[in-house]
Amino acid sequence: MGLGDTQAMSLLNESAIRTPRPLTVSAPATDDEPPSRPRRHPAWQNVPDHQWDDWHWQSQNAVRSVRQLRHLLPFSESELEAMGSLEAEYKLAIPPYYFSLIDVNDPNDPIRLQSVTSPLEAENPSGYELEDPLDEDKDSPVPGLTHRYPDRVLMVTTHVCTMYCRFCTRKRTTMVRDGWDAISRDDERMLEYIRDHSEIKDVVVSGGDPLSLPPARLKFFLDGLKAIKHVDVVRLGTRVPVTLPQKLFDQNLIDMLADAEKVWIQTHFNHPREITPETERACKALLRGGMPVNNHTVLLKGVNDDLATMRLLMRELLRIKVRPYYIFHCDPVIGAGHFRTSIWKGLEIMEGLRGHMSGLGVPTYVVDSPHGGGKIPLMPNYLVSASDDAVILRNYEGMLVRYQAEDKPGTSERTRTRGVSALLTGAKSALVPENNERLARRESHVHGHSGCGSQSAEPEAPAENNQRLPLFMAKR
Ligand SMILES: *Cc1c(COP(=O)(O)O)cnc(C)c1O
Ligand code: SF4
C-alpha cells in the first residue's frame, strides 16, 4: 500500500476534469434508483467495474494529497493554502468508493466533512483539546496496549487506516507511517501481557484499522489470541466495512476471521448515506462467517447531530443486521474541535430514540472521561422523583407514573451523600473509591510515581499519602 500520487493521478482523466460536466453524480439516493450500480465521481466514471470492485485498486487510487483534491472538489485558493499547510500534520486517504459518496455541490456534505481536510483543523476552538484526551498512554502496561477496565484490554496494532477520519481520537498517532510486515517485539509483548493476565476475557483489536494490516500480521494477532484460553471475545475495531467494503468481498479474509473463532466486528457508521449495496454486502459476508457486527457512531457536528439523521442511521443499520452499540460523544482532540457538539444535543437524540423505535436500534450514549475514567453512559432522566417507598417515572411520551420502589417501605438505610456533595460544592474535583484496581495497576506500571496514581489520574491534586481512602471519601 502507500502508493503515491502518480498512480492515482493517472486515472484522473484530465479531459473529464476540464469538461464543465455538471457534478451531480452523487445526489442523494432515491427509491427508483437501481441499488446495484454504485455512483461514482466523474473522475472515475470510466473505471471498469472489475477494478472498481477490487480493493487493491481502491486503495492504490485513494486520494492522498491536496494536489489531487483540488481537481475533485471546488475549493478557494485560501482554503487550498490552509489545507496544504495541514498536509504534513495529518494524514489524508480517501478511497474513490468513499469519495464518490460525497455530494460535490455541497460544501457541508456529511461524507466530505468526515474525510476531506478542513482549514478548521488548524484551530483549537475551546483551548480544551488535548493530544491524548483519554490518557491512553498512562494506562498502558506495555506499548500499544491499554488496560483500563477489569476484564478487557485495547490493543493498537497499526497506525494505518483506509480512510483517515478528520475527527479521529488517535489523530496524533495517525501521523506515524508504518505498515511493514514484520512482527515487532511490542506485538509479542502485548500478547504476552494478555497471556499472563487471566482476568482478561475480551480484547479490542484496534488501531488504526487492524483490517489494514498485512495478512500475515493480522493472522499473528488472531492466532495468538485464539490460543489464549481465557480470552473469550476478540473485537476487531474497523471502518473497512464503511470506507473500503470491497476488501470484505475477499472470501479468504472472511475465512481467516471466521477461523479465529472468537471474532466480533466493531464497525463505525456515522451517516445513513454510508449504507450502500457494497457495505451491505460486506456486512452480510461477515455475518455469514459467524461474526456479530456491532456499530459505534461518533456524534459529530454537521454530520449526524440531528435526530432525523440518527433515527434513519439506526434503522438502516438494523436493516443490514448491524447492531447499534454506542454513540460516542466526540472526544476533545486537537484539530477536531469543530466537530464537537453539546452533551444536550446527545441527550436530545437519545430522548428521541428510546421508545420511539426498536430497542435493538437504541445504542448507549457515552462520554469517554478525561483522566482515563473510561466510558460513562448518559441518558435522559426517566427517574423524575423519589420518596422512601416510591419513585416517579417518566416514559418516552412524557407520561408520569408512580412505581412502588421496594417491597417493604422504610427498611432501607439512608444513602450517604457526603462524598458527592463535596463535588457539588467544588471542594473536590474527583472522588475515587477505596482500593481502586485501575489506579493500583497504573501505579505498578508508572515508574517514579508514588501515592495511588493520583498524579496521573488527577494532575491538579497535590501528591499526598492517601493510600486507604474509605469508600467515596473525598480525595484531597
Ligand atoms: C472502549 C474500550 C474498551 C471496551 O469497552 P466496552 O465498554 O466493553 O465496549 C476497552 N478498553 C478501552 C481502553 C476502551 O477504550
Ligand atoms: S478508522 Fe478509526 S482509527 Fe482510523 S481514522 Fe477513522 S476513527 Fe481513526
Side-chain angles (χ1 to χ4, degrees):
M1 278 205 270
L3 285 159
D5 305 341
T6 36
Q7 229 159 321
M9 288 305 289
S10 68
L11 282 136
L12 291 179
N13 180 333
E14 280 290 325
S15 65
I17 291 160
R18 286 210 204 88
T19 315
R21 194 197 304 229
L23 297 173
T24 50
V25 276
S26 34
T30 55
D31 284 344
D32 47 7
E33 211 170 331
S36 54
R37 201 51 260 151
R39 283 177 300 277
R40 301 199 192 166
H41 186 285
W44 299 294
Q45 206 80 276
N46 300 324
V47 176
D49 286 356
H50 74 270
Q51 277 188 331
W52 186 258
D53 288 336
D54 177 359
W55 74 266
H56 296 98
W57 184 90
Q58 287 287 340
S59 183
Q60 284 160 8
N61 290 280
V63 177
R64 294 179 194 272
S65 72
V66 174
R67 192 164 61 80
Q68 288 167 282
L69 275 176
R70 68 184 307 152
H71 296 292
L72 299 166
L73 291 173
F75 294 103
S76 71
E77 279 309 314
S78 65
E79 279 174 317
L80 286 168
E81 198 179 316
M83 289 158 60
S85 62
L86 287 161
E87 233 175 346
E89 211 155 341
Y90 302 124
K91 278 210 282 187
L92 170 71
I94 315 169
Y97 158 79
Y98 193 75
F99 199 99
S100 294
L101 300 177
I102 296 174
D103 174 357
V104 296
N105 298 309
D106 179 4
N108 297 314
D109 176 86
I111 310 297
R112 173 176 177 164
L113 293 180
Q114 291 186 65
S115 56
V116 175
T117 316
S118 158
L120 294 173
E121 290 170 41
E123 292 170 19
N124 201 6
S126 68
Y128 176 64
E129 289 77 13
L130 304 166
E131 283 207 349
D132 178 17
L134 310 181
D135 268 2
E136 285 185 334
D137 293 347
K138 292 180 185 147
D139 280 323
S140 192
V142 302
L145 186 139
T146 303
H147 190 176
R148 165 161 301 158
Y149 301 104
D151 69 338
R152 54 213 187 278
V153 294
L154 180 139
M155 283 167 83
V156 172
T157 54
T158 173
H159 299 297
V160 175
C161 291
T162 51
M163 188 278 274
Y164 291 97
C165 309
R166 309 318 297 176
F167 51 85
C168 180
T169 300
R170 307 209 176 87
K171 217 174 156 90
R172 73 191 193 286
T173 52
T174 54
M175 291 169 58
V176 180
R177 290 196 180 259
D178 63 0
W180 17 261
D181 274 81
I183 310 300
S184 73
R185 179 68 195 118
D186 283 346
D187 294 341
E188 287 167 354
R189 285 177 68 195
M190 288 195 281
L191 288 182
E192 281 162 18
Y193 181 89
I194 295 167
R195 207 174 287 126
D196 291 345
H197 289 78
S198 59
E199 72 273 22
I200 298 170
K201 310 292 180 209
D202 178 345
V203 177
V204 182
V205 181
S206 177
D209 195 319
L211 287 189
S212 65
L213 285 170
R217 266 189 89 204
L218 179 59
K219 196 163 166 10
F220 166 81
F221 288 115
L222 292 177
D223 287 349
L225 292 169
K226 182 180 177 180
I228 301 173
K229 281 261 172 357
H230 56 262
V231 172
D232 300 324
V233 172
V234 173
R235 282 192 252 178
L236 280 192
T238 174
R239 258 206 120 176
V240 161
V242 186
T243 56
L244 189 63
Q246 293 79 8
K247 189 150 197 181
L248 295 161
F249 298 174
D250 173 4
Q251 192 57 37
N252 291 331
L253 178 60
I254 299 286
D255 290 345
M256 190 211 281
L257 299 175
D259 289 346
E261 285 171 10
K262 305 169 181 177
V263 173
W264 294 50
I265 301 294
Q266 171 110 5
T267 191
H268 177 176
F269 287 90
N270 285 332
H271 195 276
R273 287 232 318 271
E274 292 171 335
I275 297 171
T276 65
E278 285 91 337
T279 56
E280 186 171 353
R281 179 174 160 192
C283 292
K284 290 247 165 83
L286 290 164
L287 291 164
R288 218 176 284 121
M291 283 149 299
V293 185
N294 286 280
N295 185 70
H296 67 247
T297 292
V298 181
L299 177 61
L300 299 166
K301 190 186 260 170
V303 174
N304 57 19
D305 62 337
D306 79 286
L307 179 57
T309 305
M310 280 291 196
R311 273 193 189 160
L312 186 57
L313 173 62
M314 301 309 156
R315 289 219 170 89
E316 283 290 283
L317 287 171
L318 289 185
R319 187 177 62 75
I320 64 168
K321 283 198 181 170
V322 172
R323 171 80 214 262
Y325 177 50
Y326 279 138
I327 292 178
F328 287 118
H329 197 73
C330 186
D331 294 324
V333 188
I334 288 181
H338 56 294
F339 283 113
R340 298 195 80 214
T341 173
S342 71
I343 293 284
W344 316 129
K345 178 53 78 176
L347 289 172
E348 176 195 315
I349 287 168
M350 293 312 295
E351 176 80 50
L353 295 179
R354 172 63 67 196
H356 298 273
M357 60 174 293
S358 166
L360 285 175
V362 182
T364 305
Y365 174 45
V366 291
V367 169
D368 221 326
S369 152
H371 307 320
K375 297 179 185 69
I376 300 177
L378 292 178
M379 62 168 154
N381 282 329
Y382 295 105
L383 177 62
V384 175
S385 187
S387 64
D388 280 350
D389 64 334
V391 287
I392 306 298
L393 303 179
R394 180 180 67 84
N395 84 342
Y396 73 100
E397 305 161 305
M399 180 179 81
L400 297 178
V401 289
R402 179 183 188 280
Y403 196 90
Q404 191 66 30
E406 338 173 325
D407 292 341
K408 292 184 197 150
T411 53
S412 73
E413 218 179 81
R414 284 208 64 77
T415 315
R416 291 169 69 187
T417 55
R418 180 170 49 117
V420 177
S421 38
L423 283 186
L424 288 173
T425 60
K428 305 286 174 294
S429 73
L431 293 176
V432 180
E434 186 177 17
N435 298 330
N436 182 295
E437 278 179 36
R438 177 172 60 85
L439 293 185
R441 196 159 50 232
R442 184 182 281 197
E443 188 194 25
S444 70
H445 311 319
V446 178
H447 283 293
H449 283 233
S450 56
C452 67
S454 56
Q455 292 92 336
S456 43
E458 214 188 345
E460 75 276 17
E464 210 186 87
N465 167 30
N466 44 12
Q467 291 282 7
R468 272 167 292 280
L469 291 165
L471 190 62
F472 295 130
M473 186 178 148
K475 192 176 175 189
R476 288 174 194 279

